[in-house]
C-alpha cells in the first residue's frame, strides 16, 4: 500500500473508531476510496473456500468422540460460521450499501445476485454439507462481472523488450515510453 493510501486508511480508521464504529472489517461506510472491489470479492471467494474446507474437515471428524476431535470439530464449525458471516456482512455493508445503486440499468439483476450470495452464505452457516459452501462460492463468482480486475493502461507504457538470440541481444521499441529505466525484459 502506498504511503498516501495508508495515511488515508489510518485517518479514516481513527475517525471511525472515534465515532463508535466498531466493525472496520466490512467497511466503516465513510467514502474513503481505499477499497478495491475486485480484491474484496476475491477475499470473499477465499472465505467461501474456507467454508468448504471447514465443512470437509467437519465431515472427517464427524462421529469421533475423543476430546481432541470434538475440540477440532467445534473450531472448524466456528471458523465456517465466521467466514460465512463475513460474506453476509460484506455483501450487506459494503456492496449493497455502497456499490449497488438504484439508478443502475441492471439494478434488479445486481440486487438479486447479491441477495443470492447472502442466502447462500446463510445456508452455508446452517449446514455441515460442503456443497453449501460450493454454492456460496458459485454465487460469489456470479458477481465477478460487476467487479472486474482493474485494468492496467498498457497504452501509456513502453513496450520495449530485450530479446536474446544466441549471443546477440537487441531491443525493440514499440513506440511508447515509460520514462527512464523502465524496460520490460523477456
Amino acid at each position: 500500500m502506498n504511503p498516501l493510501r495508508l495515511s488515508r486508511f489510518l485517518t479514516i480508521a481513527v475517525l471511525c473508531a472515534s465515532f463508535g464504529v466498531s466493525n472496520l472489517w466490512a467497511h466503516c461506510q465513510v467514502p474513503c476510496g481505499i477499497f478495491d472491489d475486485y480484491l474484496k470479492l476475491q477475499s470473499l471467494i477465499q472465505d467461501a473456500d474456507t467454508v468448504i474446507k471447514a465443512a470437509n474437515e467437519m465431515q472427517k471428524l464427524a462421529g469421533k468422540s475423543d476430546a481432541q476431535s470434538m475440540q477440532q470439530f467445534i473450531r472448524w464449525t466456528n471458523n465456517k460460521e465466521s467466514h460465512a458471516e463475513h460474506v453476509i456482512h460484506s455483501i450487506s455493508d459494503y456492496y449493497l450499501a455502497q456499490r449497488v445503486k438504484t439508478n443502475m440499468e441492471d439494478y434488479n439483476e445486481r440486487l438479486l445476485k447479491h441477495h443470492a450470495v447472502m442466502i447462500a452464505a446463510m445456508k452455508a452457516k446452517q449446514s455441515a454439507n460442503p456443497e453449501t459452501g460450493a454454492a456460496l462460492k458459485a454465487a460469489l463468482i456470479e458477481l465477478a462481472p460487476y467487479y472486474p480486475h482493474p485494468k492496467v493502461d498498457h497504452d501509456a507504457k513502453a513496450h520495449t523488450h530485450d530479446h536474446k538470440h544466441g549471443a546477440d541481444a537487441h531491443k525493440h521499441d514499440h513506440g511508447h515510453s515509460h520514462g527512464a529505466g523502465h524496460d520490460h525484459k523477456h
Side-chain angles (χ1 to χ4, degrees):
M1 182 179 290
N2 74 36
L4 180 60
R5 285 186 107 178
L6 180 59
S7 174
R8 268 196 290 180
F9 172 77
L10 292 174
T11 301
I12 297 300
V14 167
L15 286 172
C16 289
S18 64
F19 287 107
V21 178
S22 61
N23 187 0
L24 289 176
W25 183 300
H27 196 269
C28 62
Q29 297 181 348
V30 174
C32 57
I34 63 170
F35 279 86
D36 181 319
D37 296 341
Y38 170 80
L39 290 177
K40 187 144 186 72
L41 181 60
Q42 297 311 303
S43 174
L44 297 180
I45 290 170
Q46 190 173 37
D47 283 329
D49 285 335
T50 301
V51 168
I52 295 166
K53 168 79 175 180
N56 280 323
E57 294 299 318
M58 290 167 62
Q59 293 296 320
K60 291 177 189 175
L61 293 166
K64 294 186 178 182
S65 60
D66 63 284
Q68 183 63 34
S69 294
M70 290 190 306
Q71 193 267 351
Q72 284 301 108
F73 188 90
I74 291 168
R75 292 187 72 204
W76 280 115
T77 301
N78 291 339
N79 198 13
K80 176 183 70 71
E81 291 191 8
S82 70
H83 283 273
E85 188 72 26
H86 179 246
V87 171
I88 292 168
H89 286 293
S90 294
I91 293 295
S92 172
D93 297 345
Y94 180 70
Y95 286 108
L96 287 176
Q98 299 181 51
R99 294 295 185 245
V100 178
K101 309 287 187 192
T102 57
N103 63 350
M104 295 175 155
E105 270 187 44
D106 59 351
Y107 171 73
N108 287 334
E109 176 184 309
R110 287 178 186 241
L111 187 60
L112 289 170
K113 286 186 178 183
H114 285 78
H115 185 253
V117 170
M118 292 175 72
I119 297 298
M122 176 192 68
K123 289 180 178 180
K125 274 183 66 175
Q126 296 170 345
S127 174
N129 186 338
E131 290 178 18
T132 60
L136 171 58
K137 184 174 181 175
L140 284 162
I141 290 170
E142 287 287 317
L143 300 181
Y146 304 131
Y147 310 108
H149 190 281
K151 306 246 187 292
V152 175
D153 184 6
H154 290 289
D155 293 335
K157 296 183 179 175
H159 294 278
T160 302
H161 307 280
D162 285 344
H163 295 277
K164 303 265 186 210
H165 299 283
D168 299 326
H170 57 275
K171 289 187 179 185
H172 297 285
D173 187 350
H174 300 288
H176 305 289
S177 178
H178 275 295
H182 289 90
D183 289 341
H184 293 291
K185 304 219 185 236
H186 291 284

